[in-house]
Amino acid sequence: MIELNGITKIYGKGDAEVYALDDVNCSIKEGEMISIMGPSGSGKSTLMNVLGCLDKPSIGSYTLGGVETTTLNDDKLAEIRNEKIGFVFQNYNLLPRMAALENIELPMLYNNIPRSERHRLALHALERVGLSDRAQHVPNELSGGQQQRVAIARALVLNPSIILADEPTGNLDSKSGEEIINIFEELNKKEGHTIIIVTHDSEIAAHTSRIIHIKDGKIDREEVFSK
Amino acid sequence: MIELNGITKIYGKGDAEVYALDDVNCSIKEGEMISIMGPSGSGKSTLMNVLGCLDKPSIGSYTLGGVETTTLNDDKLAEIRNEKIGFVFQNYNLLPRMAALENIELPMLYNNIPRSERHRLALHALERVGLSDRAQHVPNELSGGQQQRVAIARALVLNPSIILADEPTGNLDSKSGEEIINIFEELNKKEGHTIIIVTHDSEIAAHTSRIIHIKDGKIDREEVFSK
Ligand SMILES: Nc1ncnc2c1ncn2[C@@H]1O[C@H](COP(=O)(O)OP(=O)(O)OP(=O)(O)O)[C@@H](O)[C@H]1O
Ligand SMILES: Nc1ncnc2c1ncn2[C@@H]1O[C@H](COP(=O)(O)OP(=O)(O)OP(=O)(O)O)[C@@H](O)[C@H]1O
Ligand SMILES: [Mg+2]
Ligand SMILES: [Mg+2]
């Protein structure tokens, strides 16, 4: 389903060159729920941006569902993103002037989903993360963890086959964090979605079947949980 | 040192009214290192904003070092903030167009500290959080955890007597998180700084001598660690 070969991402030039990713190779099967862990600055978000077709690698190939993505133009990439991928950003990326509900409706605007249906789906996603009473609040009227939960609801609303969540519980208390990981588990076990979670919380990682440990832009080691 | 009496913070009106804080009473002694824990949306950041003189309560009094802050005008509050308080925001609040080093120098501009001295102190603070090799990177060239560490360095640079850190390790791996809490402990034990940390990580809280548990804007209970 997902094949990464020789993935390298270089920022800057000359002395200031940074190898955010350095020859990363890995495969992820459809329906897997895996986590990515590693020190701050080790390349996790950069890897997620490549996986999410938000960023192209400097070197290497990324095959998604049989399609080589590095040769696609931006429109085609955007199409794949909208259809297949739900992304929870590390910094939420909510639009500051839009209320929670409107932020969640955003992905649906590109898919010509009728207004009433958008509203219904967004409200359901908001309920799922326990925030239906904050539907009309704009981001700066929400706590950090509430913003994070709105970002999660937005990623889930179109029920995408692949969910990429970059530190989805970083600002949540353990109870809220548990509720979120349970949502992911449900989507994975009951509906077969592929879930990739970046986390530095080993309790969250324990819910996944495989942990990819990344360090200095390279895959350091993998842990596989047998059940 | 710090006295909160009947502190209440109300947002919105009528049906949309939210009691972010509801009759909070507590005292914090000089040189204490305490943590604040509670569910997402329970009022932790709002409490920190009041403690940090960034926001005034709707009701109640806040006495800091013998001074009743709620009656002070904005200039006087800004003065107290600059002199006494180092604040690590939950969302970092770094200026996007400024490099890491410049962001850390900011608090010093208001204190007429000469350029070379500002540079020296900022570099030292950056080294302390392990990021001297990122001095010239602007925030969006930094990972989430690196941005968080720059925000911590900025709060520490003027060696303030009170440090308020709102989820300072939320985006850090456990090793980086340990390094940060050790910095705080050193400042507390060796230099007698008062440290208040909001965290949902009980391992971080275990480094403090008292945990205030907040729930629905109220203090739910306190845990005191005897040594
Ligand atoms: N400007 C505002 N207008 C309306 N409600 C607000 C505003 N700011 C905060 N709130 C509400 O006040 C409550 C407390 O917010 P606060 O940010 O203090 O929570 P918190 O404990 O820090 O949460 P988290 O752990 O998620 O960061 C939340 O329910 C939030 O929705
Ligand atoms: N635009 C950029 N220009 C230069 N360097 C960059 C840029 N973006 C990221 N980097 C560097 O690439 C490295 C990897 O960044 P990345 O955000 O992937 O790390 P991360 O593992 O997600 O870290 P964290 O756990 O702190 O979120 C970091 O050292 C960062 O400084
Ligand atoms: Mg990251
Ligand atoms: Mg908060």
Side-chain angles (χ1 to χ4, degrees):
Chain A
M1 163 99 175
I2 287 176
E3 287 285 337
L4 298 176
N5 279 304
I7 293 291
T8 299
K9 181 73 185 181
I10 307 166
Y11 290 112
K13 295 188 187 329
D15 287 351
E17 229 175 34
V18 172
Y19 275 66
L21 294 174
D22 191 354
D23 189 28
V24 167
N25 302 280
C26 84
S27 313
I28 299 166
K29 283 191 275 303
E30 190 163 350
E32 270 201 87
M33 180 157 155
I34 73 161
S35 47
I36 300 173
M37 301 186 84
S40 172
S42 56
K44 304 181 294 298
S45 297
T46 306
L47 179 55
M48 292 292 261
N49 290 344
V50 169
L51 286 168
C53 298
L54 289 160
D55 203 6
K56 286 192 177 187
S58 315
I59 308 167
S61 79
Y62 169 32
T63 312
L64 174 60
V67 177
E68 170 50 63
T69 62
T70 47
T71 53
L72 300 175
N73 64 30
D74 288 353
D75 287 349
K76 197 85 191 78
L77 278 176
E79 204 180 293
I80 291 180
R81 278 201 304 271
N82 293 341
E83 289 173 9
K84 298 187 179 214
I85 301 170
F87 206 113
V88 187
F89 295 88
Q90 189 169 6
N91 66 355
Y92 322 147
N93 273 4
L94 298 176
L95 295 190
R97 297 179 199 275
M98 287 186 164
L101 203 68
E102 293 172 287
N103 265 288
I104 294 167
E105 288 184 20
L106 268 177
M108 296 185 264
L109 294 175
Y110 306 110
N111 300 359
N112 303 319
I113 295 178
R115 205 181 184 299
S116 58
E117 183 65 357
R118 287 206 309 270
H119 195 85
R120 189 184 68 71
L121 289 169
L123 207 42
H124 172 68
L126 203 52
E127 279 159 10
R128 211 169 182 185
V129 297
L131 283 174
S132 40
D133 65 339
R134 289 282 186 282
Q136 297 312 323
H137 284 220
V138 289
N140 74 5
E141 294 172 341
L142 296 171
S143 77
Q146 290 169 336
Q147 293 174 40
Q148 190 161 42
R149 283 185 277 158
V150 170
I152 291 164
R154 182 184 59 191
L156 301 180
V157 73
L158 282 176
N159 214 18
S161 52
I162 303 171
I163 294 165
L164 301 172
D166 195 348
E167 314 241 20
T169 63
N171 271 295
L172 299 180
D173 60 285
S174 49
K175 182 162 166 302
S176 310
E178 272 300 307
E179 288 163 8
I180 294 306
I181 196 70
N182 290 341
I183 293 173
F184 289 153
E185 260 184 323
E186 193 184 310
L187 289 167
N188 175 249
K189 290 186 171 38
K190 294 191 186 169
E191 302 177 33
H193 296 265
T194 305
I195 317 243
I196 304 173
I197 303 171
V198 166
T199 183
H200 52 261
D201 182 340
S202 44
E203 296 204 9
I204 296 292
H207 287 260
T208 64
S209 59
R210 175 157 66 118
I211 303 177
I212 295 175
H213 291 273
I214 184 169
K215 187 176 175 171
D216 297 325
K218 296 174 173 297
I219 291 184
D220 188 41
R221 59 189 172 90
E222 292 196 21
E223 277 175 82
V224 182
F225 299 108
S226 48
K227 291 199 181 271
Chain B
M1 164 108 182
I2 286 174
E3 286 287 337
L4 298 176
N5 280 302
I7 294 293
T8 299
K9 181 72 185 182
I10 307 167
Y11 289 112
K13 295 189 187 330
D15 286 353
E17 228 175 37
V18 172
Y19 275 65
L21 293 175
D22 191 354
D23 189 27
V24 167
N25 302 281
C26 84
S27 311
I28 299 167
K29 282 192 274 299
E30 189 162 351
E32 271 200 87
M33 180 157 155
I34 73 161
S35 46
I36 299 172
M37 300 185 84
S40 172
S42 56
K44 304 181 294 297
S45 296
T46 306
L47 179 56
M48 291 292 261
N49 290 344
V50 170
L51 285 169
C53 297
L54 289 160
D55 204 5
K56 289 194 176 187
S58 314
I59 307 169
S61 79
Y62 169 30
T63 312
L64 175 59
V67 178
E68 170 50 64
T69 63
T70 48
T71 53
L72 299 175
N73 63 30
D74 288 352
D75 287 350
K76 198 85 191 77
L77 278 176
E79 204 179 296
I80 291 180
R81 277 201 304 272
N82 292 341
E83 287 172 11
K84 298 189 178 212
I85 300 169
F87 205 113
V88 187
F89 295 88
Q90 188 168 9
N91 66 355
Y92 323 146
N93 272 5
L94 298 176
L95 294 191
R97 297 177 198 277
M98 287 186 163
L101 202 67
E102 293 172 285
N103 263 289
I104 295 167
E105 289 183 19
L106 269 177
M108 296 186 265
L109 292 175
Y110 306 111
N111 299 1
N112 303 319
I113 295 177
R115 205 181 182 300
S116 57
E117 183 65 356
R118 288 206 308 270
H119 194 86
R120 188 186 68 74
L121 288 169
L123 207 42
H124 172 68
L126 202 52
E127 279 159 9
R128 212 170 182 183
V129 297
L131 283 174
S132 41
D133 64 339
R134 289 283 187 281
Q136 297 313 323
H137 285 220
V138 289
N140 74 7
E141 294 171 342
L142 296 170
S143 76
Q146 290 170 338
Q147 292 175 42
Q148 189 161 41
R149 283 185 277 159
V150 171
I152 290 164
R154 183 184 58 192
L156 300 180
V157 73
L158 282 176
N159 214 17
S161 53
I162 303 170
I163 294 164
L164 301 172
D166 195 346
E167 314 239 21
T169 62
N171 271 294
L172 299 180
D173 60 284
S174 49
K175 181 164 168 298
S176 308
E178 271 301 308
E179 287 162 11
I180 294 303
I181 196 72
N182 290 342
I183 293 172
F184 289 153
E185 261 184 324
E186 192 183 313
L187 289 166
N188 176 249
K189 291 187 169 38
K190 293 190 184 167
E191 302 176 31
H193 297 264
T194 306
I195 317 244
I196 303 172
I197 303 171
V198 166
T199 184
H200 53 262
D201 182 341
S202 44
E203 295 204 10
I204 296 293
H207 287 259
T208 65
S209 59
R210 175 157 66 119
I211 304 178
I212 295 175
H213 292 273
I214 185 169
K215 188 177 176 171
D216 298 325
K218 294 176 173 301
I219 291 184
D220 187 40
R221 58 189 172 91
E222 290 193 23
E223 277 177 80
V224 181
F225 298 107
S226 48
K227 289 197 183 281

